[in-house]
Amino acid sequence: MEQTDKKATEESGRMPLNAGDTGYGSVAGPGLSGTMNGSESAPLLIPEPEPEPFQQWQPLTKEELEVAAGGPGWRKVRLHLVLLFWLTWVAMLTSSIAIIVISPRPVVTPLKWWQKSLFYQLQPDLPIEQQANGSGGINVLCKQLPYLRSLGIGALILEGLFDKKASPLRFNATGERIGTLPQIQHLFAECNKEGIKVVLNICEVDLLGPRDEAGNADETSNLSAIHTLRFWLEQGAAGFAICDTDPVYSEKTLLEWKDVFKEFSSEEEERIIVVKQTSDVLPPLKISSQSNVTLVDVVLRSILPSSQHPLSAKEVADAIETHLQTREDSWHYWTVGGKAPHDLKNLLLVLMMTLPGSPVVQYDEDIDQTQNASLKVNTNKLTDIDPDEGRKKKKHRLALALFTALSRSRAREEALLFGNFTFLPFNSSTNSSSSNSTLPSPSSPPILAFLRSWGCVHFLILLNAGPELHALDPAWAPSLPKAGVFVSSTGMDRLGSTSLETLELRPHEAIVIKLFDAGSYS
């Protein structure tokens, strides 16, 4: 009995505190006092769910992977797609290479040194003509050589070095006002150091001496001239310049000279013969068995005809248009030639620098270093300078900036150096936005234009030689690109991009524009 009570006490101790509350368990019947004739409707304790057993991760099998990837057939499809991708990529690469190889492109013609060089024609005494120290011109010129080289000048044509009445036996005797022989030899050495060629101008110098009735010189004079040529070639002369009216301009003499030149020439140091053309057509050589192209390396032509009076703007424009309309395959060397109005000086410089061929620039005091030495002044003090002096300094700066810009553009742009040439005739209209504007007079020269092209690079050169403002006709050259960027202009005041539809050319202005698009010109 005691054991039974003890067990009951232990069980009652394990019962929860709310065991007696209504709802802990439910018993059928109307109440606790009723007869317990029902059955229990719910267990007294709710069992907790047992945790699922831990399953270790296992990799998929080959069969399971094939099922997940879409089956064995999808594997073959993916393999074919990868193979197709690489075949397509190789085909595109091969096609691109083939297009590049077979597509037409400009063929670069190797240029000789005299075709790539910018020639500068001067007398050694000109840079210091204000000084009275006689032969000091050579020494001053030697000091200017680095400066000239920085401007892009690659060759000098020295004039006035010899007396035009010099005897063939004394051809190596120079004028007293130019310099002594040691000074000239020093000039050759300094030019060689700076990479500048020197061509001696012997135009109108009597090299052959007295001649018989047939025009033939005696053998002694001829041998003396050949000996003198050898002497100056040994000093480093890169060639000689003659006139087409000189007696030496004959096939017999030039053939003899060419034989001498071969002894001093190499692939990069060829000696040349320059012929100044004094007429519209170069006179043919007396004997036609040899072509004058093989005997004459450089033909120097003038843009303007010779005249005793300054040419008008209309005459200058007509002369320029004649050259632009003449299509010639030979390589020309251009100089101004005749007397042009001072207002067209910069326009002619732009023309020479952009025409096919090589420019030969005459000595210009505006780009002379001795003349520009005084330009290094403080801009804040310009107001204290005489107005005339200030305008002169401004003109010097403008000329130097224009020359440098054109020289550098020609040196680095293939289109300007040896690109194709296309003359662009078109109509122009005078700007009439102002009520006071009038139509151009019949004598007003039109705008001249041409294109220099190489591959997809195009340069448009516009020239207005007249004294009036001109605007381009919007209908002009419809296939030409309508936009470009300024490269240079005579006023050096045009910068940035421009539109040809709104472009206006000021009086006596020349503009060089690099076009954005190639257009249809080639």
Side-chain angles (χ1 to χ4, degrees):
M1 185 69 177
E2 294 178 355
Q3 294 179 354
T4 303
D5 296 339
K6 183 178 182 180
K7 184 176 180 181
T9 302
E10 292 176 354
E11 291 179 355
S12 63
R14 293 194 296 269
M15 291 179 65
L17 296 178
N18 59 351
D21 295 341
T22 304
Y24 177 76
S26 61
V27 180
L32 293 176
S33 61
T35 310
M36 298 178 62
N37 54 1
S39 60
E40 297 180 354
S41 62
L44 296 178
L45 298 177
I46 300 176
E48 297 180 358
E50 297 183 357
E52 297 181 359
F54 176 75
Q55 296 182 356
Q56 186 176 4
W57 179 84
Q58 296 293 335
L60 296 178
T61 63
K62 180 179 180 180
E63 291 76 11
E64 292 174 339
L65 285 174
E66 290 181 351
V67 172
W74 178 243
R75 180 185 178 186
K76 294 182 180 180
V77 172
R78 287 184 299 169
L79 180 62
H80 286 88
L81 289 176
V82 172
L83 182 61
L84 179 62
F85 168 78
W86 285 108
L87 289 177
T88 305
W89 185 85
V90 172
M92 293 175 60
L93 180 62
T94 305
S95 301
S96 302
I97 296 176
I99 292 174
I100 295 174
V101 171
I102 66 177
S103 61
R105 60 185 184 277
V107 178
V108 179
T109 302
L111 299 180
K112 305 292 186 179
W113 70 261
W114 60 87
Q115 295 174 322
K116 296 182 291 185
S117 298
L118 170 61
F119 284 77
Y120 192 55
Q121 190 170 346
L122 78 164
Q123 292 184 13
D125 63 330
L126 283 177
I128 58 159
E129 60 183 359
Q130 294 83 1
Q131 304 178 17
N133 56 354
S135 62
I138 289 292
N139 296 330
V140 174
L141 180 58
C142 290
K143 295 179 182 180
Q144 288 194 12
L145 291 178
Y147 167 76
L148 295 177
R149 188 57 180 160
S150 68
L151 296 181
I153 294 173
L156 299 178
I157 299 181
L158 298 184
E159 297 181 329
L161 203 62
F162 307 101
D163 188 357
K164 294 183 179 181
K165 298 180 180 181
S167 169
L169 300 178
R170 300 184 66 254
F171 180 40
N172 57 352
T174 60
E176 296 180 357
R177 60 192 289 267
I178 299 298
T180 62
L181 181 58
Q183 289 176 322
I184 297 177
Q185 292 173 333
H186 176 66
L187 174 62
F188 278 110
E190 293 298 318
C191 287
N192 183 61
K193 185 186 303 183
E194 295 295 335
I196 298 178
K197 309 291 184 182
V198 179
V199 176
L200 301 179
N201 185 4
I202 55 176
C203 184
E204 299 181 359
V205 176
D206 189 7
L207 301 180
L208 302 181
R211 288 171 293 278
D212 56 18
E213 296 179 356
N216 299 322
D218 57 20
E219 191 66 22
T220 304
S221 298
N222 191 29
L223 292 176
S224 177
I226 295 296
H227 175 74
T228 306
L229 288 179
R230 291 179 181 273
F231 172 80
W232 288 110
L233 291 173
E234 291 173 354
Q235 305 306 314
F240 299 91
I242 62 175
C243 292
D244 57 3
T245 56
D246 292 341
V248 295
Y249 182 68
S250 64
E251 185 175 18
K252 179 179 180 297
T253 303
L254 295 181
L255 284 174
E256 294 176 351
W257 285 21
K258 278 294 185 178
D259 292 337
V260 177
F261 285 6
K262 291 180 181 179
E263 301 176 13
F264 298 90
S265 298
S266 61
E267 186 175 354
E268 298 181 357
E269 298 291 335
E270 294 186 52
R271 312 303 171 95
I272 64 173
I273 296 177
V274 180
V275 175
K276 291 186 176 182
Q277 182 176 331
T278 59
S279 57
D280 295 337
V281 180
L282 185 68
L285 296 174
K286 296 180 180 179
I287 305 176
S288 59
S289 60
Q290 297 284 343
S291 173
N292 61 349
V293 176
T294 60
L295 300 178
V296 176
D297 302 295
V298 175
V299 177
L300 185 57
R301 299 183 62 184
S302 299
I303 297 177
L304 303 180
S306 59
S307 62
Q308 300 297 329
H309 59 85
L311 302 175
S312 65
K314 184 67 167 58
E315 293 173 328
V316 171
D318 292 342
I320 294 175
E321 187 174 9
T322 300
H323 289 294
L324 296 181
Q325 292 178 344
T326 304
R327 300 295 298 272
E328 297 183 8
D329 298 331
S330 58
W331 190 279
H332 288 97
Y333 293 75
W334 301 101
T335 186
V336 174
K339 299 179 180 180
H342 185 75
D343 295 337
L344 297 178
K345 174 183 174 182
N346 290 342
L347 181 143
L348 292 171
L349 178 62
V350 173
L351 177 64
M352 282 196 304
M353 289 288 197
T354 54
L355 276 175
S358 299
V360 180
V361 181
Q362 190 71 26
Y363 167 78
D364 186 0
E365 64 177 7
D366 288 339
I367 63 173
D368 182 22
Q369 189 179 26
T370 58
Q371 299 291 334
N372 287 278
S374 60
L375 297 180
K376 298 180 180 180
V377 296
N378 191 344
T379 55
N380 296 329
K381 299 181 180 180
L382 289 178
T383 55
D384 301 333
I385 302 178
D386 181 70
D388 293 337
E389 187 69 17
R391 285 191 293 268
K392 184 177 180 181
K393 294 178 183 298
K394 182 179 180 180
K395 185 184 69 171
H396 286 325
R397 291 192 182 95
L398 173 61
L400 184 60
L402 178 61
F403 188 94
T404 303
L406 292 172
S407 174
R408 293 178 178 176
S409 298
R410 181 181 180 274
R412 68 172 177 261
E413 295 290 351
E414 295 175 332
L416 295 177
L417 186 59
F418 49 76
N420 298 326
F421 171 85
T422 305
F423 177 61
L424 301 176
F426 65 94
N427 296 325
S428 62
S429 59
T430 300
N431 184 19
S432 57
S433 59
S434 164
S435 59
N436 297 328
S437 61
T438 57
L439 294 176
S441 60
S443 60
S444 178
I447 293 179
L448 301 175
F450 59 93
L451 203 66
R452 298 298 308 276
S453 309
W454 183 256
C456 60
V457 180
H458 292 245
F459 286 85
L460 176 64
I461 294 87
L462 299 171
L463 309 170
N464 180 18
E468 301 175 0
L469 182 69
H470 283 273
L472 298 184
D473 187 351
W476 165 67
S479 59
L480 198 67
K482 302 304 181 184
V485 61
F486 290 111
V487 175
S488 62
S489 63
T490 50
M492 292 301 294
D493 54 355
R494 293 185 181 266
L495 302 173
S497 60
T498 181
S499 174
L500 300 184
E501 296 179 345
T502 59
L503 182 62
E504 295 180 344
L505 272 75
R506 295 188 288 264
H508 312 304
E509 185 179 28
I511 300 176
V512 181
I513 301 175
K514 187 174 184 179
L515 300 179
F516 286 146
D517 188 12
S520 61
Y521 294 88
S522 59

